[in-house]
Amino acid sequence: MIRKLLIRDLTLRDGQQSAFATRMSQKQIDKVLPFYREAGFYAMEIWGGAVPDSIMRYLGEDPWERLEKIKASVGNTSKLTALSRGRNLFGYNPEPEKMMKGGRHNSIESGLDIMRIFDALNDVENIKSTVKYVKRFGGMADCAVCYTIDPYHSAVERIVAALHGHPLHKPVFTNEYFLDKALQMEALGADMITIKDMSGLIPPKRVAGLIRLFKHNLKVPVDFHTHCTPGYGLASVLSAIVSGADIVDTNIWYFAGGPAAPAIELIYIFCQKMGIELDINMGAVAKINSELLRIRKELEQAKHQAKAQHRAVLTGVLEHAEGPAARVAVLYRHHRKGHRAAQDEHQRADGAAELEGLDEAVGHLGQRRADQLHRAHQTAEHQGVHGGVVHQLHQTGNAQRAAEHRVFSEHGRRRVEEEDGTGSQNFTHWPLFASMFTYFL
């Protein structure tokens, strides 16, 4: 008997959120919907997560309208799914019971079929209300167990800790831990259980053991969700398929891989080789992919424009900043490190442009600090307070330390007035540790 695998497509929610910070407009989504109707995915994740927040905040669109339009276009050919953060709904703070009830009712009434419900700390208490209301209003409750790992401690670290009377903790996130959470969720009324590996941390061997354990102990279907961030997302999905997963989550090619989920095109090839049936119209998927390529180019162009605006704002902020030099230096160093880590020429060119803007910004800040040093030095000399130290540091070329010494000197904490034509400003007294940290950079 040929085994059939169900596919949940994430492209229009988790895919675009992972790759483009949820910036797909309704106009762009409308371009691919006719082909989705033909594709025949078991489910399409198109809502929840960052979608309601982002499209209101950055695109000025109505999230309820988006859900209703997708339902009108796709109909019942695929189940529409959304991601919910338990008591936090689609936001970041716990909501009262009335909000929980109304939000679930409106979601399902607007066309949602499946609500994936999770709590980041696997606190089952925080998903109870959502499960209750989703099922009451006719939806399916997909309860997600969030995968994570214990901190790694070497044998030497454990021995040293034990010798000091503070033995390190035993493993918490075992297979039994995850199974216990899944059983609690099934008891609440979950219609399916998802192993939700949102950071792409689960290796193929571990997911094989978890899927088999879940399939042996649960009565509901098991879904597997991961990302390709560390590099073995595809291998982990294939391991889950071989081990008996009922559903796996994928993206379409141009929105797949990297920080997103694996590509359906690759899963399809492997399933063909393994004799596993996917009831997917790959011709329709190819048409979606063609549109996604054009959309991807539009989103990348918008991202570059946004970065250019960001550089302009950053330059303006640093030009007028009076922040600790250590903080600026750390920011600058992180940008340099990120530039060196770029993997392709496109990223390198983009990083170079960003660094150019940062170079200019730090240059402005350096000039401002030099002006402040000059005024601080004059005031110290005038008042006879540690003028010799400041002068010595200045003569050795360590202008930064001279300025910081002037500020932090026990007898030199005096307000230096800066006449700029609009009034006087105070030279900020930075924390002492910033000066020390700058010295060791």
Side-chain angles (χ1 to χ4, degrees):
M1 181 178 177
I2 298 178
R3 179 185 157 207
K4 185 174 181 179
L5 177 70
L6 301 178
I7 299 293
R8 183 192 311 239
D9 176 76
L10 308 175
T11 306
L12 300 184
R13 205 289 299 174
D14 194 53
Q16 62 141 331
Q17 182 172 324
S18 298
F20 294 104
T22 327
R23 295 300 193 271
M24 280 186 76
S25 66
Q26 186 63 48
K27 182 179 179 181
Q28 291 169 328
I29 286 178
D30 288 341
K31 295 177 182 178
V32 298
L33 291 181
F35 306 123
Y36 264 106
R37 189 180 184 93
E38 302 172 11
F41 289 107
Y42 164 70
M44 296 166 51
E45 187 178 74
I46 48 87
W47 212 65
V51 168
D53 175 30
S54 294
I55 69 173
M56 285 191 296
R57 186 190 302 268
Y58 302 110
L59 304 179
E61 296 182 0
D62 183 347
W64 298 104
E65 185 177 289
R66 172 166 296 192
L67 176 55
E68 291 163 1
K69 282 187 174 182
I70 294 176
K71 183 65 175 181
S73 180
V74 176
N76 295 320
T77 57
S78 295
K79 297 182 184 300
L80 300 187
T81 78
L83 181 69
S84 167
R85 304 182 179 104
R87 289 206 66 86
N88 294 357
L89 295 176
F90 308 115
Y92 311 97
N93 298 298
E95 302 291 350
E97 198 72 10
K98 287 185 178 180
M99 288 285 291
M100 300 285 294
K101 181 179 179 180
R104 301 312 178 235
H105 176 267
N106 289 350
S107 299
I108 294 169
E109 190 178 59
S110 296
L112 199 68
D113 298 294
I114 303 173
M115 183 78 77
R116 175 173 284 171
I117 311 152
F118 79 99
D119 179 80
L121 298 178
N122 286 326
D123 186 344
V124 178
E125 287 294 320
N126 282 339
I127 70 170
K128 282 184 175 180
S129 292
T130 300
V131 173
K132 176 178 69 175
Y133 291 125
V134 165
K135 294 180 71 67
R136 177 184 297 182
F137 298 123
M140 296 175 64
D142 170 15
C143 295
V145 179
C146 295
Y147 179 81
T148 190
I149 57 176
D150 291 282
Y152 172 77
H153 300 290
S154 67
V156 174
E157 288 175 323
R158 291 186 179 277
I159 292 172
V160 171
L163 290 175
H164 285 81
H166 302 290
L168 300 174
H169 69 83
K170 295 180 180 179
V172 173
F173 302 109
T174 62
N175 286 4
E176 290 70 28
Y177 164 88
F178 294 117
L179 176 61
D180 177 63
K181 296 296 181 181
L183 288 170
Q184 291 182 50
M185 293 174 181
E186 185 181 48
L188 286 180
D191 296 294
M192 64 181 73
I193 297 292
T194 294
I195 298 173
K196 179 175 167 58
D197 176 29
M198 52 279 196
S199 299
L201 295 174
I202 192 167
K205 183 178 179 180
R206 183 76 187 274
V207 74
L210 273 177
I211 291 291
R212 293 191 186 106
L213 186 65
F214 278 31
K215 290 296 295 178
H216 181 73
N217 290 277
L218 299 174
K219 300 180 179 65
V220 297
V222 176
D223 191 333
F224 177 60
H225 173 98
T226 191
H227 290 247
C228 298
T229 317
Y232 43 76
L234 175 61
S236 293
V237 170
L238 293 175
S239 178
I241 293 170
V242 171
S243 302
D246 301 289
I247 312 164
V248 295
D249 295 1
T250 66
N251 284 315
I252 296 176
W253 184 266
Y254 282 115
F255 277 46
I264 177 60
E265 291 86 347
L266 298 177
I267 300 299
Y268 180 80
I269 292 172
F270 280 103
C271 285
Q272 278 190 317
K273 299 294 184 181
M274 294 186 290
I276 296 174
E277 179 185 350
L278 291 183
D279 193 13
I280 303 293
N281 181 347
M282 294 305 292
V285 170
K287 294 177 183 177
I288 297 172
N289 205 32
S290 296
E291 289 294 336
L292 290 178
L293 175 58
R294 286 187 279 271
I295 293 170
R296 182 183 181 93
K297 291 178 179 179
E298 293 172 0
L299 293 173
E300 285 177 339
Q301 183 179 4
K303 183 171 70 173
H304 295 328
Q305 292 173 350
K307 282 188 175 181
Q309 293 174 350
H310 169 72
R311 287 195 294 271
V313 171
L314 180 61
T315 301
V317 170
L318 290 180
E319 182 179 356
H320 298 91
E322 294 183 356
R327 196 174 302 161
V328 177
V330 170
L331 171 67
Y332 192 67
R333 186 170 59 185
H334 279 310
H335 275 264
R336 288 285 184 191
K337 187 182 294 184
H339 175 58
R340 288 194 299 269
Q343 296 298 311
D344 56 66
E345 293 302 321
H346 180 73
Q347 288 176 317
R348 291 180 190 277
D350 185 54
E354 186 167 354
L355 284 171
E356 183 180 348
L358 192 59
D359 286 336
E360 181 183 353
V362 173
H364 283 300
L365 181 60
Q367 181 59 49
R368 185 174 180 82
R369 297 284 286 176
D371 293 342
Q372 291 172 334
L373 167 65
H374 179 68
R375 289 190 298 274
H377 177 67
Q378 285 185 330
T379 303
E381 288 283 8
H382 178 71
Q383 296 180 348
V385 179
H386 291 278
V389 176
V390 175
H391 181 72
Q392 183 179 0
L393 288 170
H394 186 69
Q395 289 295 108
T396 58
N398 200 333
Q400 175 64 35
R401 288 194 62 204
E404 299 294 347
H405 183 87
R406 160 67 185 85
V407 175
F408 297 116
S409 172
E410 180 179 354
H411 301 290
R413 289 180 184 250
R414 284 169 170 72
R415 303 174 77 157
V416 180
E417 299 296 320
E418 176 187 352
E419 297 296 331
D420 60 0
T422 60
S424 62
Q425 297 178 353
N426 295 326
F427 181 61
T428 308
H429 297 162
W430 313 122
L432 179 59
F433 76 86
S435 174
M436 297 170 62
F437 184 60
T438 307
Y439 176 74
F440 289 106
L441 281 178

